[in-house]
Amino acid sequence: MASQCSLSTLFPIQSELDCALDDSTTEQEKENLVKDYLEKLDEKEDLKIPDFQTGLEWLNTEGPLSLNKELSGKVVLLDFFTYCCINCMHILPDLHRLEKKHSAKDGLVIVGVHSAKFPNEKALDNIRSAVLRYDICHPVVNDSEARLWHDLEVSCWPTLVLLGPRGNLLFSLVGEGHRERLALFTASALRHYGERGLLKTHAVGVKLYRDSLPPSVLSFPGKVAVDGIEKRLAIADTGHHRILVVSTAGQLLHAVGGPKSGRRDGDFSEASFSSPQGVAIKGEAVYVADTENHLIRKIDLLERRVSTLAGVGAQGTDKEGGAMGPQQPISSPWDVTLGSAGGGEGNVLWIAMAGTHQIWALFLADGKLPKGSECKAGTCVRWAGSGNEENRNNAYPHKAGFAQPSGLASAPEEPWGCLYVADSESSTVRTLALKDGAVKSLVGGEWDPLNLFAFGDVDGKGVDSKLQHPLGVAWAPEQSRLYVADSYNHKIKVVDPKAKQCSTLAGTGEAGDTLGPEFDKSRFNEPGGICIGDGGKLLYVADTNNHQVKVLDLFSKTVSLFPISRDCVDAVPTNPSAPTKAPTLPRSAARKEMPPAAVSAGQTLVMSLALSLPEGTKLTEGAPSCWALSAEGNEWLLEGRVLTGDIVDLSKPFSISTKIPAVIKDFNSSPSLTLGVWLYYCLETATSWRGCCWSSFILSLDFILCLNAVF
């Protein structure tokens, strides 16, 4: 039966139509060709496919679906996909477009058939996370053993199969890039069977899991980057379509974009992203791989503006590049890191171009690629990778092959002098020499460049070690060690690049959310991003499916949660007409005034505070220790707001940021900002503020910083 109703039966029939469509010139001619094809196909009785196997797990539905029951009388589009595959991700916009145009009432139902490549992708919880990440709103079945895949003789991801109202094969499209033909086939099938009265208008029970999710600060964070000088983190809050800039103490300084996807440059209040992944931060600039917009963006923290540096906003197929950034189409950039190429420090932004399986360069200033020609500032060009999806190493960068490169880390110092690349689909970490562009294997995979299934979870040396779809890498020059987010093994691994030795650092290998706190007892869930901070002492990990950032202390060997305040000091006020009041200053509180500091209109003011308590005391747990930035009598300085935040940890300095308005409203006053700090503390032996004497243990104000704004 399977041999009579597989794609091998359909392809010879459809190939004649495909050739005719390639030669046709008008839409009417194409529609007539498809109409004739469908009429001939209806005469065949051997194209009905097997139903879904019973007992399979379903997502986004009220229950299992059957081609013979719930889907009978519908035109059904089967999307055979695996959630790691960038090509599968590329067709999701095509499916979203179809869903908006044709509903189940019209007769169309899309069903995602998940046929896993990696063992980790067989777990329903992991597929559910992917469905949420990609905003998939149609039913998805977990065909974990690929039963229907084999029955239909599907050969690659993605494959689309369009069925008629009795479960009969109509069309198949293999790979990506078939938007127009998919729309033509679907519309023609709906028209053909609608005219014959064979379509049914009944609803198909859809129940989206996303509708029951509780709110969270982060949603599927993709990547994280650190600016050690300014002590700030940039976090790609991918599921919320935004970028967060956070102090290393967890204070939310800037939130740019979100909560919905979009593609807009401009002021922070209007800028938008679509599932951003890679981030790089240096000084007041944050560079962003805006993945689903196929753009490279820049966030200017001083100017509070977002601009586009590369990409045209649509998926590109160019595998050479060389145009100025805004005119250069690119495809699914997944990570970025700053580097140098034939010019000054930081003159180039390296890009992991997952969509074309290459490494690209965006020149921020004039420079030159190794063994290449001069490149002007703004040029966006391919550096390494043929564009073929392979695990091919080569001394010539254009002849090497990558397989969905997803993570980058720069190690410019000798003797390393390379980019480290997390090549996810080959389950390897590779090196790309900064001197000559030679691509070499470091750990994982195997020697056959065409084998992209050499994965596992094995500590070892070189190709004897095994990874499973790693997405992130971080270089620690202080230790000469490379840290790897081994995503589908739910582990953090460490590599000695000299010995090519790879070993497990943290994680049990099972998906979960456990703060050990020991490394070997902690659990992660598909960590996708990693960076190193505090002089090589801390690892920050974007624990993607747990919606968290975790901190690994490499000296104490402990794992902790990185807290992020929900209130952003740079946020737009929700009710500027009703300003919040700062806490009242008790008469008994000590007061210390700092000298005035002059600021200018339009300037972004950043204050970093390091606080300490008397010896033998600690912050009182549960008490309302906090800070407040106010402008009494000159509320226009803060646009009617009083900025406040909780204080829960004094072990590290924390930063507070605000922007002075560009328009001066009062020329006659002497406007000032006041930063107040209220600390409740107790003896080390006390356990809660309820047991403390308030009059003796309240430090209502350690100091007040007054800023006289001179314009």
Side-chain angles (χ1 to χ4, degrees):
M1 179 68 175
S3 62
Q4 295 179 340
C5 58
S6 69
L7 296 182
S8 61
T9 305
L10 179 67
F11 283 149
I13 307 171
Q14 187 181 327
S15 63
E16 296 181 13
L17 172 65
D18 291 333
C19 291
L21 288 172
D22 290 338
D23 295 334
S24 60
T25 57
T26 66
E27 286 301 314
Q28 188 60 56
E29 186 179 356
K30 293 177 181 179
E31 291 177 7
N32 292 338
L33 286 169
V34 176
K35 179 181 179 182
D36 293 341
Y37 169 86
L38 288 171
E39 289 176 350
K40 293 178 181 178
L41 217 60
D42 283 344
E43 299 173 1
K44 297 181 177 293
E45 298 293 333
D46 60 345
L47 292 177
K48 191 174 187 303
I49 73 166
D51 204 350
F52 297 106
Q53 188 178 5
T54 59
L56 296 180
E57 300 165 315
W58 287 80
L59 294 168
N60 283 347
T61 66
E62 296 175 347
L65 301 180
S66 166
L67 294 174
N68 298 322
K69 297 177 182 177
E70 294 83 2
L71 299 176
S72 177
K74 302 291 187 183
V75 170
V76 178
L77 178 62
L78 302 179
D79 171 25
F80 287 87
F81 77 109
T82 185
Y83 72 77
C84 69
C85 171
I86 192 68
N87 310 92
C88 298
M89 299 178 208
H90 285 165
I91 69 168
L92 289 176
D94 301 344
L95 302 185
H96 290 321
R97 181 173 296 192
L98 274 184
E99 288 172 306
K100 289 181 179 179
K101 189 172 184 179
H102 307 291
S103 66
K105 185 177 181 180
D106 299 327
L108 177 68
V109 177
I110 300 175
V111 176
V113 183
H114 191 270
S115 309
K117 171 184 176 179
F118 294 99
N120 178 70
E121 294 178 310
K122 294 184 178 183
L124 183 68
D125 284 345
N126 297 337
I127 302 171
R128 179 185 289 115
S129 293
V131 166
L132 290 168
R133 277 202 309 273
Y134 304 149
D135 195 25
I136 296 175
C137 298
H138 51 255
V140 173
V141 60
N142 179 16
D143 189 11
S144 60
E145 301 307 316
R147 176 72 176 271
L148 190 56
W149 169 287
H150 292 300
D151 283 348
L152 290 184
E153 298 181 16
V154 177
S155 59
C156 70
W157 299 282
T159 294
L160 297 174
V161 178
L162 197 68
L163 305 176
R166 54 187 178 86
N168 51 305
L169 287 171
L170 299 180
F171 307 95
S172 181
L173 295 167
V174 178
E176 59 176 288
H178 304 294
R179 174 180 294 179
E180 293 182 1
R181 195 152 293 187
L182 174 62
L184 171 65
F185 288 168
T186 303
S188 297
L190 290 171
R191 187 183 310 111
H192 176 78
Y193 290 108
E195 290 172 350
R196 285 155 179 74
L198 298 177
L199 296 182
K200 299 178 182 178
T201 60
H202 65 274
V204 175
V206 174
K207 183 179 181 182
L208 300 182
Y209 179 70
R210 69 178 186 185
D211 294 339
S212 61
L213 287 178
S216 61
V217 176
L218 297 175
S219 175
F220 300 107
K223 302 287 185 183
V224 60
V226 65
D227 181 349
I229 296 176
E230 299 292 339
K231 298 187 182 301
R232 293 179 296 189
L233 294 178
I235 302 170
D237 189 9
T238 308
H240 286 142
H241 308 286
R242 64 179 182 170
I243 303 298
L244 304 184
V245 179
V246 186
S247 74
T248 52
Q251 177 61 51
L252 182 55
L253 306 176
H254 306 278
V256 190
K260 301 294 184 181
S261 65
R263 178 170 65 88
R264 188 171 183 180
D265 288 342
D267 187 79
F268 283 5
S269 62
E270 59 185 7
S272 55
F273 302 86
S274 184
S275 297
Q277 286 285 344
V279 284
I281 180 171
K282 185 177 181 180
E284 300 302 322
V286 181
Y287 300 94
V288 181
D290 193 6
T291 305
E292 291 192 5
N293 276 329
H294 309 286
L295 298 174
I296 300 297
R297 316 284 290 283
K298 179 184 177 181
I299 301 174
D300 189 318
L301 298 177
L302 281 179
E303 297 295 329
R304 293 173 48 87
R305 293 192 66 81
V306 175
S307 57
T308 294
L309 299 183
V312 298
Q315 182 191 344
T317 58
D318 184 2
K319 297 180 181 180
E320 294 295 334
M324 288 292 105
Q327 287 78 48
Q328 177 60 59
I330 60 176
S331 179
S332 297
W334 208 272
D335 200 10
V336 291
T337 191
L338 286 161
S340 301
E345 182 180 352
N347 73 322
V348 68
L349 188 71
W350 303 118
I351 306 168
M353 202 71 75
T356 55
H357 313 291
Q358 296 171 317
I359 308 300
W360 283 48
L362 172 62
F363 281 87
L364 306 176
D366 291 354
K368 181 181 179 181
L369 286 174
K371 296 184 178 180
S373 58
E374 298 288 339
C375 292
K376 294 293 184 181
T379 304
C380 189
V381 62
R382 178 267 298 254
W383 179 29
S386 64
N388 297 324
E389 190 173 6
E390 299 174 330
N391 176 23
R392 187 178 299 278
N393 300 304
N394 201 288
Y396 297 93
H398 288 186
K399 293 184 178 181
F402 294 93
Q404 201 171 313
S406 301
L408 295 175
S410 180
E413 58 278 351
E414 294 298 335
W416 318 112
C418 69
L419 276 182
Y420 291 107
V421 182
D423 200 38
S424 61
E425 282 297 296
S426 66
S427 294
T428 65
V429 175
R430 325 267 289 282
T431 62
L432 177 53
L434 296 173
K435 183 178 181 180
D436 58 14
V439 177
K440 299 179 181 179
S441 170
L442 183 61
V443 293
E446 66 139 277
W447 298 119
D448 181 357
L450 300 181
N451 183 4
L452 302 183
F453 287 79
F455 53 78
D457 184 8
V458 180
D459 291 349
K461 184 175 181 178
V463 296
D464 293 332
S465 63
K466 291 293 179 280
L467 307 169
Q468 189 182 178
H469 200 74
L471 289 174
V473 281
W475 174 244
E478 301 86 357
Q479 310 157 16
S480 295
R481 291 293 182 270
L482 182 73
Y483 295 93
V484 182
D486 192 6
S487 305
Y488 284 7
N489 282 325
H490 315 288
K491 286 184 174 183
I492 304 302
K493 294 188 176 179
V494 58
V495 177
D496 177 349
K498 184 176 181 180
K500 292 190 174 183
Q501 189 71 34
C502 179
S503 57
T504 297
L505 177 72
T508 65
E510 296 182 4
D513 183 16
T514 304
L515 296 172
E518 298 87 351
F519 282 178
D520 60 350
K521 295 180 181 177
S522 297
R523 290 187 179 185
F524 306 88
N525 195 335
E526 294 190 8
I530 188 170
C531 68
I532 193 155
D534 198 16
K537 298 176 184 177
L538 302 176
L539 272 179
Y540 297 94
V541 176
D543 195 6
T544 303
N545 285 356
N546 282 325
H547 315 292
Q548 298 169 346
V549 172
K550 289 177 178 171
V551 185
L552 279 63
D553 190 313
L554 298 175
F555 283 77
S556 66
K557 306 295 183 183
T558 57
V559 181
S560 60
L561 181 65
F562 180 67
I564 301 175
S565 63
R566 288 181 177 269
D567 296 323
C568 179
V569 299
D570 197 35
V572 176
T574 55
N575 187 8
S577 62
T580 305
K581 290 185 177 181
T584 302
L585 180 65
R587 291 182 179 179
S588 59
R591 180 183 179 113
K592 181 179 180 181
E593 292 188 6
M594 304 297 291
V599 298
S600 302
Q603 179 179 345
T604 296
L605 187 63
V606 180
M607 292 154 280
S608 181
L609 301 181
L611 305 175
S612 61
L613 295 174
E615 187 174 351
T617 64
K618 65 176 183 178
L619 279 179
T620 305
E621 185 177 345
S625 295
C626 64
W627 61 265
L629 185 64
S630 59
E632 190 171 345
N634 293 282
E635 284 77 9
W636 58 271
L637 281 171
L638 296 174
E639 298 179 341
R641 295 171 291 167
V642 173
L643 304 179
T644 63
D646 296 331
I647 298 176
V648 296
D649 182 13
L650 298 183
S651 63
K652 300 177 183 178
F654 62 91
S655 296
I656 299 162
S657 173
T658 188
K659 185 175 182 179
I660 306 300
V663 179
I664 302 171
K665 294 188 177 182
D666 190 347
F667 290 88
N668 299 318
S669 65
S670 298
S672 64
L673 296 173
T674 302
L675 178 63
V677 178
W678 287 259
L679 298 180
Y680 295 88
Y681 66 101
C682 58
L683 296 175
E684 291 281 1
T685 54
T687 58
S688 74
W689 67 268
R690 297 181 188 278
C692 297
C693 174
W694 280 67
S695 60
S696 300
F697 290 85
I698 182 172
L699 181 60
S700 298
L701 198 64
D702 190 17
F703 60 85
I704 291 180
L705 176 63
C706 293
L707 297 168
N708 290 332
V710 179
F711 300 100

